[in-house]
Amino acid sequence: MPPRDRIAERARALDAADGLAAYRAAFTVPEGVIYLDGNSLGALPVKTADVLARVVTQEWGEGLIRSWNSAGWFDMAARIGGKIAPLVGAAPHEVIACDSTSVNLFKLIAAALQMRPGRSVILSEPGNFPTDLYMIAGLEAQGLAQRRLAPREELAQALGEDVALLMLTHVHYKTGALHDMAALTRAAHEAGALVLWDLSHSTGALPVDLRGVAADFAVGCGYKYLCGGPGAPAFAFVAERHHGRFAQPLTGWFGHAAPFAFSDDYDPASGIGQLQCGTPPVLGLAALEVGVDLIAEIGVAPLYAKSRALSEFFLACLADLDVALALVSPAASAQRGSQLSFRHPDAYAICQALIARGVIGDFRAPDVLRLGFAPAYLRFADVAEAARHLAEVVTGGEWQNPAFRQRAAVT
Ligand SMILES: *Cc1c(COP(=O)(O)O)cnc(C)c1O
């Protein structure tokens, strides 16, 4: 049997045995598209359009301002945070859905600095997601922080007495490599530092145990595996033991202990609610809630098992098709998130050639082709087809077409 048929047959068997297969129908995936970018913008849940239509026409259109109480808008951020909490091993009152990941990073870095007087270093690694590093730079420019970067093998040694906070991304956005959250959190605590985990590429795809590792702070993204829609509100976690002790600097009225007391003086809410700043984006939160409910219903453990099976199958297909691409992700699925990244000098053009064939992945500068395996809506048959397309694009030299070298603003 030719490899192509062998792969298709194997995919059929894997799909037939897939306990999550039925959930694909809960998402909108356009005909003719194989979507390998759910790690960047999650697919649209089928229900979202109806929920948004109801929130707009009934809750906003008819309920008007009454909906802050009657439709539960006022508590929405905390309610959705509470639903995200079990996905990351937190208690419901430790998580809130608010602002963007970038803004949440700023608030929590600043809070950590204040909790470690006399220490001003924020330790991270080079190549961390840009916004994470830029948010440290912003606080540095304010004279509040000092940025220190150390390669991942040297992080433990870089934890000196001047380090206030160790801030890392659990799953590396470009390579998918995992950090050992438990070991690094322990090392930071032993050095007297606090720890902030960015869970943007973890939440909804692989298990995280914030309480188990005794993390202090965490942030994560609402529009990736949680399928909350473009620019969805993010989330933030503060461990219960810091409630009443942490203070974030964006002291807007929604983080006040009693916003509707309209006092002249800021009195922060003691719990997670203090992380809110201004009025929450109700429409964005409504869309996020649909995605969170769906991912919570499917369950992180089965999602993780399927994500590993999908990426292992993809690599097996490439091997069977004799495609030799340099894998930059860890080869063992236990050591990576839900993605595979490959290095190629013409990764951009290869990515564009794949998109022209309906296989949507993405490119990360300067030379990485990144393919995400969002387990909630991908089939093994999609993975087999994607491998076949990639093999044809690479071995046929199709990517050399100059049209595939035109760069767009968003890659
Ligand atoms: C996607 C992502 C972000 C996104 O931040 P925004 O403020 O939503 O733009 C931040 N950090 C990491 C690690 C990410 O992967």
Side-chain angles (χ1 to χ4, degrees):
M1 202 188 290
R4 211 183 130 157
D5 298 344
R6 194 161 59 225
I7 287 167
E9 192 174 289
R10 178 104 185 89
R12 271 193 296 278
L14 287 164
D15 279 323
D18 174 14
L20 303 189
Y23 283 107
R24 180 178 169 89
F27 295 88
T28 311
V29 184
E31 201 58 45
V33 166
I34 296 176
Y35 195 56
L36 302 183
D37 218 359
N39 52 322
S40 202
L41 175 64
L44 168 69
V46 170
K47 261 190 175 174
T48 305
D50 286 346
V51 168
L52 283 184
R54 177 176 53 73
V55 173
V56 169
T57 57
Q58 293 175 23
E59 296 184 7
W60 176 12
E62 290 171 32
L64 290 166
I65 200 150
R66 292 169 291 190
S67 289
W68 281 103
N69 293 314
S70 62
W73 289 355
F74 188 70
D75 300 322
M76 222 170 164
R79 179 176 79 233
I80 298 169
K83 292 177 174 187
I84 294 171
L87 305 178
V88 293
H93 63 283
E94 292 177 312
V95 180
I96 191 153
C98 61
D99 297 318
S100 63
T101 304
S102 303
V103 172
N104 288 334
L105 285 166
F106 183 89
K107 291 181 290 190
L108 293 178
I109 298 168
L113 283 164
Q114 209 175 28
M115 288 169 69
R116 287 293 178 271
R119 295 175 176 232
S120 61
V121 172
I122 310 299
L123 177 62
S124 192
E125 64 174 326
N128 192 358
F129 190 79
T131 210
D132 298 55
L133 299 179
Y134 302 162
M135 295 318 286
I136 308 174
L139 283 153
E140 201 166 24
Q142 299 280 323
L144 297 170
Q146 263 180 286
R147 192 177 87 159
R148 179 181 299 158
L149 305 182
R152 50 180 59 200
E153 320 75 61
E154 293 165 26
L155 281 166
Q157 296 94 288
L159 279 164
E161 287 187 352
D162 50 358
V163 176
L165 179 72
L166 173 65
M167 188 186 93
L168 295 169
T169 301
H170 177 218
V171 174
H172 195 278
Y173 80 100
K174 206 185 279 189
T175 66
L178 287 179
H179 273 302
D180 182 339
M181 284 180 67
L184 283 162
T185 303
R186 204 177 315 117
H189 286 169
E190 277 163 13
L194 295 161
V195 183
L196 194 177
W197 287 104
D198 187 330
L199 303 176
S200 289
H201 280 279
S202 316
T203 314
L206 64 160
V208 172
D209 189 6
L210 287 172
R211 287 204 139 199
V213 305
D216 299 288
F217 306 110
V219 297
C221 194
Y223 52 79
K224 291 172 178 157
Y225 295 104
L226 293 181
C227 299
F235 69 88
F237 157 92
V238 177
E240 182 180 22
R241 63 183 178 280
H242 300 316
H243 291 194
R245 300 180 50 230
F246 78 100
Q248 67 97 352
L250 302 184
T251 46
W253 71 311
F254 260 75
H256 194 281
F260 288 88
F262 292 103
S263 154
D264 282 349
D265 299 310
Y266 183 72
D267 175 20
S270 62
I272 197 72
Q274 191 206 123
L275 281 183
Q276 294 191 92
C277 180
T279 308
V282 170
L283 302 181
L285 285 168
L288 173 62
E289 190 164 26
V290 177
V292 169
D293 282 342
L294 196 46
I295 295 301
E297 180 191 326
I298 305 172
V300 174
L303 285 166
Y304 181 50
K306 183 172 172 189
S307 126
R308 290 176 65 175
L310 286 167
S311 66
E312 282 167 5
F313 181 55
F314 186 77
L315 289 177
C317 292
L318 290 188
D320 217 1
L321 293 163
D322 267 334
V323 186
L325 272 176
L327 181 68
V328 289
S329 303
S333 64
Q335 271 146 43
R336 61 177 186 246
S338 199
Q339 71 184 70
L340 287 172
S341 301
F342 301 91
R343 186 161 281 142
H344 190 286
D346 287 294
Y348 184 81
I350 291 174
C351 182
Q352 293 305 307
L354 283 172
I355 292 171
R357 286 167 169 257
V359 181
I360 304 180
D362 63 21
F363 164 80
R364 286 296 174 261
D367 57 1
V368 169
L369 171 69
R370 188 175 71 157
L371 304 176
F373 297 87
Y377 41 87
L378 266 189
R379 298 172 295 207
F380 289 90
D382 299 320
V383 167
E385 274 297 278
R388 178 179 68 78
H389 283 297
L390 180 58
E392 289 173 8
V393 164
V394 171
T395 51
E398 186 174 311
W399 48 272
Q400 289 170 17
N401 180 339
F404 296 139
R405 293 172 188 277
Q406 309 277 347
R407 299 261 171 138
V410 174
T411 62

